[in-house]
Amino acid sequence: MSCEETQKYNINGQEHTVPKITPTTPDVLVCKATKILENLHKDFTVELTGSGETAVESNTNKPSYYLRDQPTSNSVLTKVNRFYNTMVPDNGGTISDNEYKKMISVIMKGVVDTTDSYDTISTEISNLTDFSNNPTGFKGIYGLNKVVELLDASINTLLTTLTTKSIPTAAKSGDAILKYNQRSDIKNTLEEIAYRENQIYREKFLNIILIVVGIILLGSQLTQKFFSGGGGAGGGAGLGGSFGFGHGGSGGLFSRVGGLGLGSSGRSHFDIGNLFKNSSYTLKPR
């Protein structure tokens, strides 16, 4: 397929179910970039053979010549790793050797260069401005970087033109994504409110439990301290002895204010009026 705006295309596997698509300018750009990347992939990975178009001796300017195990020549099919052989110090090679410069220049810019500029980008690659004028000029790692650079610039240009003014009114008012985001925000807000309410209720319930437990513990301590028995009713202690309810006790807490009729005074009837009679604690004269 040639990358032209007049040539319609199908998505792979859907030729019979989807109508052919008319390519736009970005589609053509991506198509051309894809073809260049495919060629670069072959240059880096193809396994050379001893005859035909991919003959070993005619592809010494391809990165795969050094990066993959390749035959030593067209006639001898014994494979060799030229990158390893060039980089191993035991072979006597240094960065000043022409073989080393040749290998680096082929990998980086796809040409054989044994000069001092063997590792710098070539003007042929640096002057590329699009994918149309010289698609075969993208070579080596520098060529791959140039493809990425041009794609990045084209994407930025495309995104810059996508302003709100270019979006139809109907598309903006019926934007399903915007409505979904709004509903999602409302849902998250309600969930947060419900979570906080449950947290507050749990804290209040825990406080009530702690208060009840505190009252029980305090009551237990007071009972042990003030209301502990001393041998039964004869001792006049205990709960009855303390409040004047005991039989034969010492009077209890209410004995001085008349009691409830069950203290040591011997009155066995319940006389509520005794609570309001004059006592030694009253401020009125007798």
Side-chain angles (χ1 to χ4, degrees), residues 166-219:
S166 62
I167 301 176
T169 304
K172 289 189 290 185
S173 60
D175 191 354
I177 297 178
L178 178 61
K179 292 182 178 180
Y180 171 80
N181 291 334
Q182 291 175 347
R183 291 194 298 268
S184 179
D185 292 339
I186 294 172
K187 175 178 176 292
N188 293 336
T189 301
L190 293 177
E191 289 179 350
E192 181 65 22
I193 292 174
Y195 172 77
R196 289 295 302 153
E197 288 181 347
N198 290 334
Q199 191 177 38
I200 292 172
Y201 291 146
R202 289 195 299 268
E203 291 175 355
K204 289 183 177 180
F205 184 71
L206 179 60
N207 290 336
I208 292 173
I209 293 177
L210 292 176
I211 291 173
V212 173
V213 172
I215 292 174
I216 294 173
L217 293 176
L218 181 60

Side-chain angles (χ1 to χ4, degrees), residues 71-257:
T72 55
S73 65
N74 291 349
S75 57
V76 181
L77 300 182
T78 302
K79 291 185 178 182
V80 62
N81 188 318
R82 294 181 173 85
F83 182 88
Y84 176 81
N85 290 340
T86 304
M87 297 298 293
V88 171
D90 295 342
N91 293 338
T94 64
I95 60 175
S96 60
D97 293 339
N98 287 339
E99 188 62 28
Y100 174 84
K101 294 179 179 179
K102 176 183 175 181
M103 179 185 70
I104 298 300
S105 63
V106 169
I107 294 174
M108 297 302 297
K109 53 188 177 182
V111 295
V112 177
D113 185 4
T114 57
T115 65
D116 292 338
S117 60
Y118 69 94
D119 57 349
T120 60
I121 186 172
S122 63
T123 55
E124 182 184 18
I125 297 176
S126 61
N127 292 335
L128 292 171
T129 57
D130 55 52
F131 301 133
S132 301
N133 56 0
N134 186 16
T136 60
F138 297 88
K139 300 176 182 178
I141 294 178
Y142 287 136
L144 178 61
N145 289 338
K146 194 65 176 181
V147 173
V148 175
E149 178 184 330
L150 295 178
L151 281 175
D152 184 60
S154 299
I155 292 172
N156 288 334
T157 302
L158 180 62
L159 293 177
T160 303
T161 59
L162 294 178
T163 61
T164 54
K165 295 181 179 180
S166 62
I167 301 176
T169 304
K172 289 189 290 185
S173 60
D175 191 354
I177 297 178
L178 178 61
K179 292 182 178 180
Y180 171 80
N181 291 334
Q182 291 175 347
R183 291 194 298 268
S184 179
D185 292 339
I186 294 172
K187 175 178 176 292
N188 293 336
T189 301
L190 293 177
E191 289 179 350
E192 181 65 22
I193 292 174
Y195 172 77
R196 289 295 302 153
E197 288 181 347
N198 290 334
Q199 191 177 38
I200 292 172
Y201 291 146
R202 289 195 299 268
E203 291 175 355
K204 289 183 177 180
F205 184 71
L206 179 60
N207 290 336
I208 292 173
I209 293 177
L210 292 176
I211 291 173
V212 173
V213 172
I215 292 174
I216 294 173
L217 293 176
L218 181 60
S220 175
Q221 294 295 325
L222 291 176
T223 300
Q224 293 178 4
K225 184 175 182 179
F226 296 105
F227 306 146
S228 59
L239 182 63
S242 299
F243 288 92
F245 300 153
H247 299 281
S250 60
L253 297 177
F254 295 99
S255 62
R256 299 299 301 275
V257 295

